[in-house]
Amino acid sequence: MRTALVTGASSGIGAACASRLISAGWRVFAGVRRAGDAPRGAEEILLDVTDESQIRAAANGIEQLDALVNNAGIAIAMPLEFIPLDELRRQLEVNVIGQVAVTQAFLPHLRRTRGRIVFVGSIAGKSALPFLGAYAASKHALEAIADALRIELRPFGIAVSLVEPGTIRTPIWEKSAAVADSLVSGAPADLRELYGERIAAFRRVAAKRGASGASAEAVARAVDKALTQERPSTRKLIGRDAKLRAGVERLPDRIRDSVYERVLLR
Ligand code: NDP
């Protein structure tokens, strides 16, 4: 039986990936931070991707692995001028360092099975929106990591894919808004004076988009394909808005900027 580990499997895209793979007959280890959060049918592994000892224990506890789905992630929304540096570090720690740490720990397993790795990136890996600079930096970094790793691991027969979803309806939007609320309320008054109106406009658009995004199952389908197709895609945009944003990124910078200002900040 093929075996997969999905990180961040408690909700959203990770839970959808775990459930889809279980239905397709995989044995699935679900990495979660709280006991009891794993989707039905998965084997639960306590795995905070920033916790070295949990990563080590997970790697020791899983004998065989054919697929690693690096999905865990957070999104911190805050103007770069005011984002507390510890929050910037946390953003990068979870979305970048944590992904590499888990990958390092499981590469010996994957080398034995000539297994596969899928990173859940984002259109934010190509397209940095205002107030999401920290998140976009983390997803841009993930693009670089996937590109380098793909070549490094080719001699071992380990395929590396990256999926790049646009807006997907998951709890990440509410979690991110809750963190932003607490950061904004703890920030200096200048923040509201300097950025208040544009942040409010951005949040209205984000709330609307989050609620009408594509389904997590659409991402799970792409992950499934990356794990099973004979020649998996190296990267895959998911959702109409991801494709639109990829197009906007091809415009000259100042035109691109004015599109985002018009659509997001007014
Ligand atoms: P969710 O918030 O539903 O899922 C995020 C998952 O990551 C949760 O299981 C969460 O666990 C887990 N997680 C957070 N921090 C850690 C940590 N330190 N260690 C281990 N697990 C952690 O959001 P999504 O399903 O939307 O997000 C999944 C991935 O998809 C992320 O990488 C995100 O960036 C990416 N993505 C999402 C898009 C969207 O529009 N939703 C678009 C593009 C990409 P817990 O429940 O304990 O918090």
Side-chain angles (χ1 to χ4, degrees):
M1 192 186 245
R2 290 169 305 173
T3 302
L5 167 63
V6 181
T7 66
S10 70
S11 65
I13 293 168
C17 288
S19 300
R20 185 178 176 98
L21 293 175
I22 290 164
S23 304
W26 289 69
R27 178 181 185 195
V28 174
F29 291 100
V32 297
R33 292 194 296 173
R34 279 174 306 271
D37 271 0
R40 191 165 347 149
E43 291 172 50
E44 186 166 89
I45 294 266
L46 280 186
L47 184 56
D48 183 321
V49 301
T50 65
D51 183 328
E52 277 176 37
S53 61
Q54 283 191 358
I55 295 173
R56 213 174 314 117
N60 290 335
I62 295 176
E63 230 167 71
Q64 189 202 311
L65 196 70
D66 301 283
L68 171 60
V69 181
N70 282 313
N71 163 77
I74 57 173
I76 298 176
M78 191 69 178
L80 287 165
E81 181 174 354
F82 288 99
I83 187 170
L85 293 180
D86 279 344
E87 289 296 305
L88 177 57
R89 288 190 187 97
R90 187 165 74 91
Q91 177 71 85
L92 298 174
E93 190 66 37
V94 176
N95 288 20
V96 183
I97 313 290
Q99 314 304 309
V100 176
V102 172
T103 303
Q104 286 180 343
F106 284 96
L107 269 174
H109 301 63
L110 296 168
R111 190 173 284 109
R112 284 196 292 274
T113 55
R114 296 173 79 81
R116 293 190 180 184
I117 301 172
V118 179
F119 288 97
V120 179
S122 167
I123 183 59
K126 295 184 187 306
S127 164
L129 297 185
F131 310 137
L132 280 171
Y135 178 69
S138 76
K139 294 298 186 179
H140 273 67
L142 217 48
E143 298 265 333
I145 283 163
D147 281 340
L149 200 59
R150 200 172 56 245
I151 303 173
E152 290 175 10
L153 299 182
R154 211 175 70 85
F156 311 119
I158 301 172
V160 178
S161 298
L162 178 80
V163 294
E164 301 168 318
T167 308
I168 308 295
R169 257 182 345 264
T170 72
I172 205 170
W173 295 89
E174 287 136 45
K175 291 181 198 171
S176 176
V179 172
D181 281 342
S182 83
L183 291 178
V184 167
S185 68
D190 282 1
L191 168 77
R192 256 148 288 160
E193 206 173 293
L194 296 168
Y195 293 97
E197 272 179 32
R198 286 190 293 160
I199 290 178
F202 180 79
R203 291 187 65 167
R204 279 195 299 276
V205 177
K208 218 155 82 192
R209 297 260 162 107
S212 64
S215 70
E217 285 69 29
V219 184
R221 270 198 300 279
V223 169
D224 186 346
K225 276 192 182 163
L227 295 180
T228 52
Q229 276 182 336
E230 194 173 322
R231 194 175 156 77
S233 301
T234 53
R235 47 173 38 78
K236 180 87 186 148
L237 290 167
I238 299 162
R240 192 167 159 270
D241 65 328
K243 288 167 196 154
L244 274 174
R245 276 174 65 187
V248 172
E249 292 303 321
R250 288 194 286 272
L251 297 170
D253 285 347
R254 287 186 213 291
I255 298 178
R256 170 243 185 234
D257 294 355
S258 65
V259 169
Y260 286 136
E261 286 193 45
R262 202 157 5 101
V263 175
L264 301 172
L265 304 181
R266 292 201 186 138

